[in-house]
PDB file of all heavy atoms in Angstrom:
ATOM      1  N   THR A 194       2.749 -36.182  -8.892  1.00 95.00           N
ATOM      2  CA  THR A 194       1.354 -35.789  -9.057  1.00 95.00           C
ATOM      3  C   THR A 194       1.194 -35.060 -10.378  1.00 95.00           C
ATOM      4  O   THR A 194       2.070 -34.308 -10.780  1.00 95.00           O
ATOM      5  CB  THR A 194       0.931 -34.857  -7.894  1.00 95.00           C
ATOM      6  OG1 THR A 194       0.891 -35.622  -6.690  1.00 95.00           O
ATOM      7  CG2 THR A 194      -0.429 -34.226  -8.130  1.00 95.00           C
ATOM      8  N   LEU A 207      -6.720 -36.344 -12.682  1.00 95.00           N
ATOM      9  CA  LEU A 207      -5.928 -35.771 -11.595  1.00 95.00           C
ATOM     10  C   LEU A 207      -5.362 -36.958 -10.842  1.00 95.00           C
ATOM     11  O   LEU A 207      -6.108 -37.730 -10.238  1.00 95.00           O
ATOM     12  CB  LEU A 207      -6.784 -34.898 -10.682  1.00 95.00           C
ATOM     13  CG  LEU A 207      -6.089 -34.299  -9.469  1.00 95.00           C
ATOM     14  CD1 LEU A 207      -4.911 -33.430  -9.874  1.00 95.00           C
ATOM     15  CD2 LEU A 207      -7.074 -33.501  -8.636  1.00 95.00           C
ATOM     16  N   ASP A 208      -4.065 -37.164 -10.920  1.00 96.00           N
ATOM     17  CA  ASP A 208      -3.401 -38.311 -10.304  1.00 96.00           C
ATOM     18  C   ASP A 208      -2.537 -37.786  -9.161  1.00 96.00           C
ATOM     19  O   ASP A 208      -1.499 -37.168  -9.397  1.00 96.00           O
ATOM     20  CB  ASP A 208      -2.555 -39.033 -11.352  1.00 96.00           C
ATOM     21  CG  ASP A 208      -2.007 -40.358 -10.858  1.00 96.00           C
ATOM     22  OD1 ASP A 208      -1.743 -40.498  -9.643  1.00 96.00           O
ATOM     23  OD2 ASP A 208      -1.812 -41.252 -11.693  1.00 96.00           O
ATOM     24  N   LEU A 209      -2.986 -38.016  -7.931  1.00 95.00           N
ATOM     25  CA  LEU A 209      -2.298 -37.491  -6.741  1.00 95.00           C
ATOM     26  C   LEU A 209      -1.433 -38.552  -6.095  1.00 95.00           C
ATOM     27  O   LEU A 209      -1.817 -39.721  -6.039  1.00 95.00           O
ATOM     28  CB  LEU A 209      -3.330 -37.014  -5.707  1.00 95.00           C
ATOM     29  CG  LEU A 209      -4.273 -35.919  -6.148  1.00 95.00           C
ATOM     30  CD1 LEU A 209      -5.357 -35.710  -5.108  1.00 95.00           C
ATOM     31  CD2 LEU A 209      -3.511 -34.631  -6.369  1.00 95.00           C
ATOM     32  N   THR A 210      -0.301 -38.142  -5.543  1.00 94.00           N
ATOM     33  CA  THR A 210       0.528 -39.065  -4.779  1.00 94.00           C
ATOM     34  C   THR A 210       0.124 -39.061  -3.310  1.00 94.00           C
ATOM     35  O   THR A 210       0.597 -39.879  -2.546  1.00 94.00           O
ATOM     36  CB  THR A 210       2.021 -38.698  -4.892  1.00 94.00           C
ATOM     37  OG1 THR A 210       2.196 -37.373  -4.414  1.00 94.00           O
ATOM     38  CG2 THR A 210       2.507 -38.796  -6.324  1.00 94.00           C
ATOM     39  N   GLY A 211      -0.744 -38.156  -2.914  1.00 93.00           N
ATOM     40  CA  GLY A 211      -1.215 -38.047  -1.533  1.00 93.00           C
ATOM     41  C   GLY A 211      -2.728 -37.995  -1.508  1.00 93.00           C
ATOM     42  O   GLY A 211      -3.400 -38.671  -2.269  1.00 93.00           O
ATOM     43  N   LYS A 212      -3.289 -37.140  -0.636  1.00 93.00           N
ATOM     44  CA  LYS A 212      -4.743 -37.050  -0.558  1.00 93.00           C
ATOM     45  C   LYS A 212      -5.223 -35.703  -1.066  1.00 93.00           C
ATOM     46  O   LYS A 212      -4.452 -34.744  -1.145  1.00 93.00           O
ATOM     47  CB  LYS A 212      -5.216 -37.308   0.868  1.00 93.00           C
ATOM     48  CG  LYS A 212      -5.199 -36.140   1.804  1.00 93.00           C
ATOM     49  CD  LYS A 212      -5.836 -36.540   3.129  1.00 93.00           C
ATOM     50  CE  LYS A 212      -5.531 -35.530   4.196  1.00 93.00           C
ATOM     51  NZ  LYS A 212      -6.097 -35.888   5.481  1.00 93.00           N
ATOM     52  N   ALA A 213      -6.496 -35.644  -1.413  1.00 93.00           N
ATOM     53  CA  ALA A 213      -7.109 -34.409  -1.891  1.00 93.00           C
ATOM     54  C   ALA A 213      -8.104 -33.925  -0.850  1.00 93.00           C
ATOM     55  O   ALA A 213      -8.847 -34.722  -0.276  1.00 93.00           O
ATOM     56  CB  ALA A 213      -7.832 -34.643  -3.214  1.00 93.00           C
ATOM     57  N   ILE A 214      -8.114 -32.638  -0.600  1.00 95.00           N
ATOM     58  CA  ILE A 214      -9.091 -32.021   0.288  1.00 95.00           C
ATOM     59  C   ILE A 214      -9.842 -30.993  -0.545  1.00 95.00           C
ATOM     60  O   ILE A 214      -9.238 -30.060  -1.072  1.00 95.00           O
ATOM     61  CB  ILE A 214      -8.406 -31.352   1.497  1.00 95.00           C
ATOM     62  CG1 ILE A 214      -7.653 -32.402   2.319  1.00 95.00           C
ATOM     63  CG2 ILE A 214      -9.433 -30.602   2.337  1.00 95.00           C
ATOM     64  CD1 ILE A 214      -6.806 -31.823   3.434  1.00 95.00           C
ATOM     65  N   LEU A 215     -11.132 -31.203  -0.695  1.00 93.00           N
ATOM     66  CA  LEU A 215     -11.978 -30.285  -1.446  1.00 93.00           C
ATOM     67  C   LEU A 215     -12.956 -29.652  -0.470  1.00 93.00           C
ATOM     68  O   LEU A 215     -13.613 -30.355   0.289  1.00 93.00           O
ATOM     69  CB  LEU A 215     -12.761 -31.020  -2.542  1.00 93.00           C
ATOM     70  CG  LEU A 215     -11.938 -31.810  -3.551  1.00 93.00           C
ATOM     71  CD1 LEU A 215     -12.861 -32.603  -4.460  1.00 93.00           C
ATOM     72  CD2 LEU A 215     -11.075 -30.867  -4.363  1.00 93.00           C
ATOM     73  N   LYS A 216     -13.047 -28.343  -0.469  1.00 95.00           N
ATOM     74  CA  LYS A 216     -13.977 -27.646   0.413  1.00 95.00           C
ATOM     75  C   LYS A 216     -14.940 -26.841  -0.436  1.00 95.00           C
ATOM     76  O   LYS A 216     -14.516 -26.076  -1.303  1.00 95.00           O
ATOM     77  CB  LYS A 216     -13.217 -26.723   1.363  1.00 95.00           C
ATOM     78  CG  LYS A 216     -12.332 -27.464   2.334  1.00 95.00           C
ATOM     79  CD  LYS A 216     -11.646 -26.528   3.297  1.00 95.00           C
ATOM     80  CE  LYS A 216     -10.760 -27.308   4.242  1.00 95.00           C
ATOM     81  NZ  LYS A 216     -10.158 -26.443   5.254  1.00 95.00           N
ATOM     82  N   PHE A 221     -21.490 -29.881  -3.256  1.00 90.00           N
ATOM     83  CA  PHE A 221     -20.980 -30.402  -4.516  1.00 90.00           C
ATOM     84  C   PHE A 221     -22.152 -30.944  -5.319  1.00 90.00           C
ATOM     85  O   PHE A 221     -23.065 -31.535  -4.756  1.00 90.00           O
ATOM     86  CB  PHE A 221     -19.991 -31.562  -4.285  1.00 90.00           C
ATOM     87  CG  PHE A 221     -18.668 -31.140  -3.759  1.00 90.00           C
ATOM     88  CD1 PHE A 221     -18.413 -31.167  -2.397  1.00 90.00           C
ATOM     89  CD2 PHE A 221     -17.663 -30.722  -4.608  1.00 90.00           C
ATOM     90  CE1 PHE A 221     -17.190 -30.779  -1.898  1.00 90.00           C
ATOM     91  CE2 PHE A 221     -16.436 -30.333  -4.118  1.00 90.00           C
ATOM     92  CZ  PHE A 221     -16.204 -30.362  -2.758  1.00 90.00           C
TER      93      PHE A 221
END
Side-chain angles (χ1 to χ4, degrees):
T194 291
L207 177 59
D208 189 329
L209 300 171
T210 59
K212 84 174 166 181
I214 298 173
L215 303 173
K216 294 183 181 184
F221 287 95

